[in-house]
Amino acid sequence: MATSDKALGGLMLLVAAFVFVYYTTWAILLPFFDTSNPIHGYFPAREWAVRLPAFILVIGLSCIGFFVGSTIVKENRKKAQKAKLRAA
């Protein structure tokens, strides 16, 4: 079990490092290259360097808000049910 956890952690670290290097090259270094340079063929349009993280942020915050809201509703239902049982 520990070996598979280490392998999974290592794989996740490699993926995170690749994404970091790719995004940094795309968003920060690419404007310094001439547009005729073939490196531009490896990256989407620059406008997506802003749109994609913004979209991921909105989706992530929405999921967190949904989780917190549903947890609050469930806890309130449990409290109401306990109060109803005490009153009965």
Side-chain angles (χ1 to χ4, degrees), residues 15 24 74:
V15 169
T24 302
K74 286 179 185 177

Side-chain angles (χ1 to χ4, degrees), residues 42-70:
Y42 295 111
F43 300 96
R46 288 208 21 136
E47 64 193 25
W48 287 101
V50 175
R51 287 182 183 176
L52 188 62
F55 178 73
I56 292 171
L57 181 67
V58 168
I59 294 298
L61 290 176
S62 298
C63 290
I64 291 170
F66 177 75
F67 173 75
V68 169
S70 65

Side-chain angles (χ1 to χ4, degrees), residues 6-52:
K6 285 184 179 182
L8 180 61
L11 179 66
M12 290 170 57
L13 182 63
L14 286 175
V15 169
F18 174 77
V19 168
F20 174 76
V21 170
Y22 183 85
Y23 183 78
T24 302
T25 304
W26 179 27
I28 297 174
L29 299 177
L30 201 61
F32 295 108
F33 290 100
D34 190 29
T35 55
S36 62
N37 196 320
I39 197 168
H40 282 273
Y42 295 111
F43 300 96
R46 288 208 21 136
E47 64 193 25
W48 287 101
V50 175
R51 287 182 183 176
L52 188 62

